[in-house]
Amino acid sequence: YTLTTIDNAPSNGLPAVVSAITIEGNGATIQRSGAAGTPDFRLFQVTPTGALTLRNLELRNGRAVTGGALQNVAGTVAIQGSEISANAAGCDGGGIASTGGTVMLEASAIHDNTAGCSGGAIFVRDGGATLVDSQLVANVASTGGGGGIMLFGSAISLIVRTTIAGNTAVLDGGGLLAHGGATRTTI
């Protein structure tokens, strides 16, 4: 599925997720068009009342200020057996940016994404992240930290049997950066 226009503000390709939604992708790809003239937009935004589950789906080519493919604003996100690749954020979260919510990644891969600031693959602030049997590979935080994942503030995170490799950050944490006094990460 190739998206060519913004569905709603601020810069989302699909309607904002405001309730519980599960997408069974069956191997499908949702992507922003790479054609000349296509505006920048992320694919998904999850609101505080939203709970998004993505299964067996690929998200590609999103472009936004935060959360290139997906922005979670105090909601709940579960990504299972899926792939997030070739997305870019002008600032935080090349693949995913989550503020005040939770992100769970299971048997999934986030690779080849770029953040203009921090969190090449994933940026989590004041929320939590759980990564199980997954991969964060070849992502870039081009001016900040956490090439693979940046955990900031009160993020409480669990990382189990997950590969974090080949990521790059200009500042600290090429693979992972846990920053802030309240941040706790269990690996």
Side-chain angles (χ1 to χ4, degrees):
Y1 300 92
T2 300
L3 308 177
T4 59
T5 59
I6 295 171
D7 179 79
N8 61 20
S11 300
N12 300 315
L14 295 166
V17 176
V18 298
S19 63
I21 294 178
T22 298
I23 297 176
E24 297 282 354
N26 296 314
T29 298
I30 298 175
Q31 64 184 353
R32 180 187 147 275
S33 172
T38 302
D40 288 349
F41 56 85
R42 75 180 57 82
L43 305 173
F44 288 99
Q45 182 183 55
V46 181
T47 69
T49 59
L52 177 64
T53 300
L54 302 176
R55 291 191 186 116
N56 195 20
L57 181 69
E58 183 176 0
L59 303 180
R60 292 183 51 79
N61 203 32
R63 303 276 184 269
V65 174
T66 57
L70 189 150
Q71 181 184 42
N72 180 25
V73 184
T76 302
V77 173
I79 298 171
Q80 302 165 337
S82 296
E83 187 174 332
I84 298 174
S85 65
N87 300 283
C91 197
D92 296 323
I96 298 171
S98 182
T99 304
T102 61
V103 173
M104 190 276 294
L105 195 69
E106 181 180 9
S108 296
I110 302 181
H111 63 90
D112 299 298
N113 299 282
T114 302
C117 298
S118 296
I122 303 172
F123 179 87
V124 178
R125 183 181 187 112
D126 301 329
T130 301
L131 285 64
V132 179
D133 296 324
S134 294
Q135 300 176 17
L136 305 181
V137 178
N139 299 284
V140 176
S142 59
T143 63
I149 184 168
M150 167 75 162
L151 305 167
F152 186 83
S154 61
I156 298 173
S157 301
L158 175 65
I159 300 172
V160 179
R161 294 181 309 273
T162 293
T163 299
I164 301 174
N167 300 286
T168 304
V170 171
L171 297 178
D172 298 324
L176 179 146
L177 177 59
H179 181 71
T183 301
R184 186 177 75 212
T185 304
T186 302
I187 300 174

